[in-house]
Amino acid sequence: MSTTTVKASVLHGIRDLRVEWREIPPPGPSELQVSVRSTGICGSDQHYYNHYRNGDILIREPMSLGHESSGMVEAVGSDVPEGSFKVGDRVALEVGLACGTCELCTEGRYNICRSMSFRSSAKSFPHFQGTLQQRINHPAQWCHRLPESVSLTEGALLEPLSVAIHGVRRSQLSGTKTALVLGAGAVGLLTSAMLRVEGASKIVIADIDPQRVDFATQNEFADVGFAVPLKQGATIEAKLAIAQETAKLATTAAGLCGFDAVFECTGVETCVQTAIYVRLTSSSVQVLIPIQKVTDLAVNRPLAPEAE
Ligand SMILES: [Zn+2]
Ligand SMILES: [Zn+2]
C-alpha cells in the first residue's frame, strides 16, 4: 500500500477553517488506517474554532479538530494480531494515547495520564491531529470494533458516553440516590442517562440555557430542571456568592437539603464551587469536563471533593 491523499479540515486561526489535501502513509505495523465516517463536535472543538485556544491551551500550529469518531478499517498494519481486525470492520476510536508506563497508567487510570496526547487537543506539541480528515492512521489497540447493532453515528457517541459511564461509576452511586447534574450539554445528558440506568431516584439538571433544560426534562433525562441566571463575579467572594446562590436554587428546585452525588459537566469555575456547596457531607463530586481555572474551590467545606 502506498501513500494516500486525503481531504482534511484544518483550523488555521480564529474561525479560519480550510479544506486541504494531506498525504498519509500506509498504517504503521501496529496501526489501522481508518476512514472516518462520523464525528461529534465537542465543546473543546468549538472553543478552538471560535478562539484558536481552549482556556489556557493555545493552538501553536494548524490543527484538525474532532475526536468523537467512528469509521471503517481500510488497511491493517503488519503486526496487528491476525483475526483482530480486517478491512471493512466498523470501529469506534479511543483518541487519547497514554504513555502506558507511568504510575497512573499502570494502575489502569490511563485516562488521567499526565503524558497523554489527545486528538484535536493543542496540549501536546506537535499537536495530535483530530479526526475531521477523510482517513487517519490510529493504533489498533485504541480502536474498538462495533457490533452490528450499533450504527456509526452511535459509535461516535461512545467517546462522550464513556466519560459519563466513568463518572457515574466513580461516584459509586447506586439504588435510590439523588443526583445533581450541572450542564445539559452532551456530557450532562449522557451522565443523566447513565444515572437512569443506575436507578437514581431523583435527577436534577441545571444549565444557563432554558431550552437545554427543557430538552433534558421533556425527554426524561432528568426529573427536575432549572435555568441558572447568567452572572459573573469579578472577585473570589462574588464568585463564591454566585455559587452559593446556585446551590440554593438546586436544593429548592429538588425539594432536598443536598444531593448524594454531583456531576460537574460544564467546565465552568463557579459550577465546581456550586458542586461543593450543594453536596451532602458523605457524597462525592465528579468533575467530568476539564476546568481551566479555579481560583477558590471552597474546599474548607467539610470534605474535600473527589474530582476527576
Ligand atoms: Zn470532547
Ligand atoms: Zn501514563
Side-chain angles (χ1 to χ4, degrees):
M1 185 182 177
S2 56
T3 301
T4 311
T5 307
V6 300
K7 256 194 232 173
S9 112
V10 185
L11 188 66
H12 282 261
I14 294 174
R15 299 186 180 202
D16 180 5
L17 202 53
R18 304 179 199 170
V19 175
E20 295 174 354
W21 295 97
R22 272 186 184 158
E23 300 283 316
I24 62 163
S30 59
E31 290 180 329
L32 301 178
Q33 188 164 107
V34 175
S35 59
V36 180
R37 299 298 173 92
S38 185
T39 294
I41 303 298
C42 178
S44 64
D45 293 321
Q46 291 181 38
H47 281 290
Y48 285 128
Y49 175 70
N50 285 314
H51 310 289
Y52 210 50
R53 63 190 294 163
N54 183 17
D56 61 359
I57 306 171
L58 307 177
I59 299 188
R60 287 167 279 168
E61 62 177 348
M63 184 174 83
S64 291
L65 300 175
H67 58 258
E68 302 170 1
S69 295
S70 65
M72 302 266 284
V73 175
E74 301 290 343
V76 180
S78 55
D79 289 352
V80 175
E82 194 131 340
S84 57
F85 290 100
K86 61 179 188 314
V87 171
D89 278 349
R90 299 171 325 122
V91 290
L93 302 175
E94 188 167 351
V95 293
L97 305 190
C99 76
T101 55
C102 72
E103 207 180 312
L104 289 164
C105 282
T106 47
E107 279 173 5
R109 303 185 71 195
Y110 65 89
N111 57 307
I112 47 173
C113 169
R114 300 288 175 256
S115 310
M116 166 88 71
S117 54
F118 198 92
R119 285 195 185 272
S120 88
S121 164
K123 212 165 184 178
S124 59
F125 188 84
H127 304 330
F128 193 16
Q129 297 290 315
T131 56
L132 286 171
Q133 309 183 61
Q134 276 180 324
R135 288 188 185 195
I136 54 169
N137 291 328
H138 199 70
Q141 184 192 358
W142 302 113
C143 295
H144 305 280
R145 206 170 38 227
L146 293 171
E148 265 174 37
S149 57
V150 177
S151 70
L152 286 163
T153 307
E154 288 164 340
L157 269 174
L158 290 178
E159 196 270 347
L161 178 63
S162 65
V163 173
I165 291 172
H166 183 67
V168 172
R169 274 191 193 153
R170 295 274 304 163
S171 75
Q172 297 181 319
L173 191 88
S174 60
T176 54
K177 296 287 172 64
T178 58
L180 172 66
V181 178
L182 295 168
V187 173
L189 292 176
L190 291 168
T191 299
S192 303
M194 285 313 301
L195 287 164
R196 280 265 182 263
V197 171
E198 291 298 323
S201 61
K202 192 174 238 180
I203 303 166
V204 178
I205 201 160
D207 201 285
I208 50 169
D209 181 345
Q211 282 181 335
R212 281 183 166 197
V213 173
D214 289 346
F215 180 87
T217 49
Q218 282 162 13
N219 292 284
E220 297 179 20
F221 285 95
D223 303 299
V224 180
F226 68 98
V228 180
L230 186 55
K231 288 183 188 172
Q232 278 179 339
T235 62
I236 290 172
E237 289 73 22
K239 284 176 185 170
L240 293 179
I242 293 167
Q244 276 174 299
E245 219 174 280
T246 310
K248 201 157 178 228
L249 275 177
T251 48
T252 307
L256 299 165
C257 58
F259 294 87
D260 294 309
V262 188
F263 298 85
E264 204 305 290
C265 307
T266 68
V268 175
E269 183 184 10
T270 44
C271 291
V272 182
Q273 292 154 341
T274 299
I276 294 164
Y277 280 120
V278 88
R279 83 204 198 292
L280 296 169
T281 48
S282 61
S283 63
S284 70
V285 173
Q286 301 294 320
V287 178
L288 305 188
I289 304 268
I291 311 292
Q292 295 304 336
K293 184 184 71 144
V294 178
T295 45
D296 190 329
L297 264 180
V299 281
N300 55 342
R301 303 278 296 156
L303 285 174
E306 177 184 335
E308 181 164 312

